[in-house]
């Protein structure tokens, strides 16, 4: 870890003891504190992220007297530098926060928005058919970024250190450089057809037209300057002034439709998290514009009607798959930007609705997705995006998932900014029924519209029980939600953080009508039984997801942090 961090990383550092400002704190329900229990703060802090340098940036920030929120700013910004394929200042994310002093839990929505000039048919040709790859590469694929505004908001409202201190490790990493990892090189190879549209992107990542090799140093001086303006001027340092001017010039020259007011008007939104209970576990998770919470609640509300422990493994998998199928069907029909769309959330989250869905499940036969009520009457996964989990010694928590969508986002960098733009416009339903990069379908509720937030699957989540808590999330596009669902089921059965990240995964998302599973996720007997019941099964060519988990057991006091063995991350307890 230290080797990859140049200059300040030559110095090893040690977390100093935290001032325990909060002697007791309360477990809380959504939004307002409700005293459930009085628990001593954890003696330790923990960080799990997708890159050792980002974990170290968080550790330095804690050591400098910061709390979990300052550490989240540091980790998030460091990931934006050292994991450029996955997330960055040109993208967005969701931050789930638990403030130990007040018990408040906040979902910070830093999702990208469609530019004001976006139109419903902007990605269709004159015959109304999707233009190939139009939401994938170049500035037209990019929504207005939210991550920089989130960093400022978290630092100003919840942090203890100045933004300049929390951003210092990221600035150092951008300017001094870091050693390219196999994963980022794989992503560059994967996007090789896209480079030519963006000379600035090429200059940083494919200098002299040559792909870097493992061990090469990647320096991002323009990104360092952009981070410095953000550190010095806060929101205005990105969304107004020099950075904004460079972004708009670069986007417009290349045919994009961003305008200066799009940036100036961008705002993060604090929303109440979505909260539900399952078998003594409280799940605090992502509300719309993420689909994560609603899909998770639907799955668990269906599962709650079964005595799973008394059922065979094949029955348990069958019920999970059927619950996933139904939850993702509703995702496609109903979910979108809560500020623009009316969603029947009360009904979708009700026990009565879960009972209706349960009644439609045949234990002996898979339900073909095509037989469910159609949605469209109104006319590589897991390698990009990134999740980190933080607990500090006061009991503050952060679960954050941030993204520029697919590998290297739009693979487009406005000159002079160092900022890789996202391609999150692909998360909209550009035409009813037309699948996006993750095979997800949708309709009017998630159509392209001016200033609208595109529906997401990112699901930063807290699990709480009388014994302790877990902080978790993962990348993986549409498969994020089912990863969290399976990990939560494992946690309630007693799984540790490392067992949660190691768990083999399976996934059903309504359409395409297949169950994707990692090798070993389902035994050969269960696979055979599911096939007999009519399920279509596809073994994933690669493992997927990159989950990061922190757990804290109140009874033993144990804090555990674990990073996904599929990734390159590091999890540490201090
Ligand atoms: O917000 C979403 O749901 C997607 N943009 C997330 C993309 C992702 O996780 C890519 N990683 N495989």
């Amino acid at each position: 870890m230290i080797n990859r961090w140049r200059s300040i990383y030559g110095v090893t550092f040690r977390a100093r003891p935290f001032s325990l400002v909060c002697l007791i704190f309360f477990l809380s329900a959504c939004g307002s504190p409700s005293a459930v229990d009085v628990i001593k703060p954890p003696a330790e802090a923990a960080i799990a992220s997708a890159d050792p340098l980002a974990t170290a940036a968080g550790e330095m920030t804690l050591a400098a007297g910061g709390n979990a929120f300052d550490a989240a700013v540091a980790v998030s910004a460091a990931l934006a530098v050292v994991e450029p394929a996955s997330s960055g200042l040109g993208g967005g994310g969701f931050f789930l926060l638990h403030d130990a002093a007040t018990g408040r839990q906040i979902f910070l929505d830093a999702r990208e928005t469609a530019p004001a000039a976006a139109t419903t048919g902007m990605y269709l040709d004159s015959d109304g058919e999707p233009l190939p790859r139009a939401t994938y590469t170049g500035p037209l694929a990019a929504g207005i970024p939210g991550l920089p505004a989130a960093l400022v908001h978290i630092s100003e409202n919840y942090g203890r250190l100045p933004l300049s201190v929390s951003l210092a490790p990221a600035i150092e990493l951008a300017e001094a450089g870091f050693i390219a990892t196999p994963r980022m090189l794989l992503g560059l190879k994967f996007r090789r057809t896209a480079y030519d549209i963006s000379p600035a992107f090429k200059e940083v990542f494919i200098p002299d037209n040559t792909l870097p090799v493992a061990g090469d140093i990647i320096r991002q001086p323009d990104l360092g300057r952009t981070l410095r303006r953000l550190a010095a001027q806060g929101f205005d340092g990105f969304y107004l002034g020099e950075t904004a001017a460079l972004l708009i010039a670069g986007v417009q020259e290349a045919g994009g439709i961003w305008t200066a007011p799009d940036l100036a008007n961008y705002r993060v939104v604090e929303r109440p998290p979505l909260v539900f209970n399952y078998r003594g576990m409280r799940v605090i998770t992502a509300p719309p514009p993420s689909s994560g919470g609603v899909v998770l609640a639907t799955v668990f509300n269906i599962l709650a009607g079964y005595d799973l422990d008394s059922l065979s493994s094949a029955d348990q998998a069958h019920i999970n798959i059927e619950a996933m199928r139904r939850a993702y069907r509703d995702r496609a029909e109903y979910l979108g930007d809560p500020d623009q769309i009316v969603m029947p959330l009360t009904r979708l989250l009700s026990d009565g609705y879960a009972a209706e869905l349960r009644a439609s499940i045949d234990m002996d036969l898979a339900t073909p997705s095509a037989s469910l009520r159609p949605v469209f009457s109104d006319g590589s996964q897991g390698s990009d995006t990134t999740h980190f989990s933080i607990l500090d010694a006061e009991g503050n928590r952060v679960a954050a998932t941030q993204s520029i969508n697919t590998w290297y986002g739009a693979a487009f960098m406005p000159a002079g900014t160092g900022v890789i733009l996202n391609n999150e416009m692909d998360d909209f339903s550009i035409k009813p029924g037309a699948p996006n990069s993750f095979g997800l379908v949708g309709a009017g509720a998630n159509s392209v519209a001016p200033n609208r937030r595109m529906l997401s699957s990112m699901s930063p989540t807290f699990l709480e029980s009388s014994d302790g808590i877990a902080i978790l999330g993962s990348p993986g596009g549409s498969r994020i939600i089912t990863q969290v669902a399976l990990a939560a089921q494992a946690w309630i059965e007693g799984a540790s953080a490392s067992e949660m990240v190691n768990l083999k995964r399976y996934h059903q998302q309504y359409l395409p009508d297949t169950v994707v599973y990692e090798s070993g996720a389902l035994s050969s007997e269960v696979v055979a039984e599911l096939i007999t019941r009519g399920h279509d099964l596809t073994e994933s060519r690669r493992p997927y997801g990159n989950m990061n988990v922190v757990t804290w057991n109140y009874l033993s006091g144990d804090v555990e942090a674990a990073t996904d063995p599929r990734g390159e991350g590091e999890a540490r307890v201090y």
Side-chain angles (χ1 to χ4, degrees):
M1 175 265 291
I2 299 293
N3 290 343
R4 279 188 59 215
W5 198 312
R6 314 292 293 176
S7 74
I8 44 178
Y9 301 97
V11 183
T12 24
F13 43 82
R14 185 183 297 275
R16 65 177 166 76
F18 296 89
S19 60
L20 295 180
V21 291
C22 150
L23 292 177
I24 56 168
F25 72 104
F26 301 102
L27 286 176
S28 71
C30 158
S32 60
S34 73
V36 173
D37 215 341
V38 178
I39 291 155
K40 271 198 354 225
E44 294 163 313
I47 301 177
S49 93
D51 193 289
L53 298 175
T55 299
E59 181 178 356
M60 289 176 72
T61 308
L62 291 175
N67 59 16
F69 310 117
D70 298 303
V73 171
V75 173
S76 170
L79 288 168
V81 177
V82 301
E83 236 203 338
S86 301
S87 74
L89 297 189
F94 297 136
F95 293 75
L96 184 62
L97 313 177
H98 172 94
D99 179 12
T102 61
R104 270 188 78 212
Q105 308 206 114
I106 304 117
F107 179 80
L108 185 67
D109 169 359
R111 184 65 162 163
E112 297 89 339
T113 53
T119 57
T120 305
M122 68 186 278
Y123 300 113
L124 305 179
D125 66 16
S126 52
D127 296 327
E129 293 307 318
L131 290 160
R133 312 302 264 172
T135 53
Y136 198 57
T137 304
L140 270 182
I144 305 302
L147 194 76
L151 301 181
V152 174
H153 185 90
I154 293 169
S155 177
E156 286 179 351
N157 293 280
Y158 301 100
R160 198 171 284 157
L161 300 175
L163 186 60
S164 56
V165 174
S166 307
L167 291 183
I171 293 170
E172 179 71 24
L173 287 164
E175 293 178 347
F178 67 97
I179 296 176
T181 68
R183 195 178 178 84
M184 74 162 281
L185 298 175
L186 188 70
L188 278 177
K189 280 195 198 125
F190 187 75
R191 289 308 309 266
R192 70 165 68 78
T193 53
Y195 310 151
D196 284 333
I197 61 153
S198 182
F201 182 90
K202 219 169 156 178
E203 195 179 314
V204 174
F205 294 107
I206 312 104
D208 308 320
N209 241 345
T210 316
L211 273 171
V213 293
D216 281 358
I217 307 284
I218 308 292
R219 291 191 182 81
Q220 301 172 80
D222 284 337
L223 181 58
R225 279 186 283 275
T226 296
L227 280 162
R228 281 185 185 279
R229 286 191 289 272
L230 184 67
Q233 301 162 41
F235 181 93
D236 295 359
F238 187 89
Y239 293 89
L240 298 167
E242 188 179 344
T243 303
L246 289 166
L247 288 168
I248 297 298
V251 163
Q252 292 187 353
E253 267 165 34
I257 56 171
W258 291 13
T259 62
D262 284 329
L263 287 172
N265 295 333
Y266 182 84
R267 294 291 178 270
V268 292
V269 184
E270 286 199 357
R271 304 184 189 277
L274 193 146
V275 182
F276 64 91
N277 296 304
Y278 174 74
R279 290 178 59 191
M281 166 173 74
R282 183 173 10 200
V283 181
I284 299 103
T285 186
S290 174
S291 57
V294 177
V295 170
L296 283 171
T298 307
V299 167
F300 280 108
N301 288 346
I302 293 173
L303 295 186
Y306 296 93
D307 179 10
L308 290 177
D309 293 341
S310 69
L311 298 177
S312 69
S313 303
D315 281 345
Q316 291 184 19
H318 176 79
I319 291 166
N320 257 294
I321 290 162
E322 292 303 326
M324 291 170 182
R325 182 197 311 281
R326 284 158 177 78
Y328 275 86
R329 194 218 77 90
D330 285 353
R331 177 198 197 278
E333 177 166 3
Y334 296 118
L335 302 186
D337 181 348
D339 298 335
Q340 293 202 8
I341 295 293
V342 178
M343 290 171 277
L345 293 185
T346 310
R347 173 168 155 73
L348 293 180
L349 299 173
S350 69
D351 291 343
Y353 184 60
E356 264 175 50
L357 294 179
R358 208 180 297 121
S360 71
I361 296 176
D362 181 336
M363 281 308 291
D364 299 323
L365 277 182
T367 308
S369 292
S371 73
L372 297 177
R373 195 162 53 81
V375 168
F376 316 116
S377 49
D378 65 347
S380 92
Q381 294 217 12
S383 308
D384 20 16
T385 303
T386 193
H387 174 88
F388 61 88
S389 295
I390 302 181
L391 172 73
D392 72 18
E394 295 161 26
N396 296 308
R397 305 175 214 154
V398 179
T401 314
Q402 59 187 49
S403 183
I404 50 175
N405 200 24
T406 61
W407 290 106
Y408 292 93
F412 181 82
M413 182 186 283
T417 66
V419 174
I420 304 170
L421 301 191
N422 68 83
N423 59 358
E424 301 283 7
M425 294 296 279
D426 188 65
D427 279 346
F428 279 119
S429 167
I430 62 168
K431 177 184 171 161
N436 76 353
S437 291
F438 303 105
L440 288 167
V441 290
N446 188 32
S447 58
V448 184
N451 305 315
R452 181 173 286 178
R453 286 162 142 86
M454 55 296 281
L455 187 62
S456 174
S457 301
M458 293 186 291
S459 307
T461 296
F462 300 146
L463 308 174
E464 297 178 347
S465 75
S466 53
D467 293 355
I469 55 119
I471 307 169
L472 72 156
S474 184
S478 56
R479 300 179 194 171
I480 292 172
I481 313 170
T482 50
Q483 290 178 59
V484 172
L486 296 176
Q489 288 178 49
W491 186 73
I492 201 67
E493 294 290 338
S496 65
S498 70
E499 285 165 338
M500 289 162 83
V501 299
N502 275 287
L503 194 69
K504 302 283 189 204
R505 297 156 182 159
Y506 60 91
H507 170 80
Q508 216 291 348
Q509 62 176 48
Y510 169 53
L511 294 174
D513 189 348
T514 191
V515 179
V516 179
Y517 67 102
E518 287 184 320
S519 171
L522 304 167
S523 68
S524 49
E525 294 77 25
V526 170
V527 168
E529 177 58 35
L530 291 174
I531 290 171
T532 308
R533 294 185 199 187
H535 290 283
D536 182 76
L537 281 100
T538 311
E539 185 170 329
S540 176
R541 272 180 292 139
R542 288 181 218 100
Y544 63 86
N546 196 6
M547 183 173 280
N548 280 298
V549 179
V550 170
T551 56
W552 169 29
N553 186 304
Y554 301 144
L555 307 178
S556 63
D558 288 347
V559 172
E560 191 196 344
T563 192
D564 202 313
R566 301 160 185 80
E568 296 174 339
E570 184 170 66
R572 303 245 296 150
V573 177
Y574 311 106

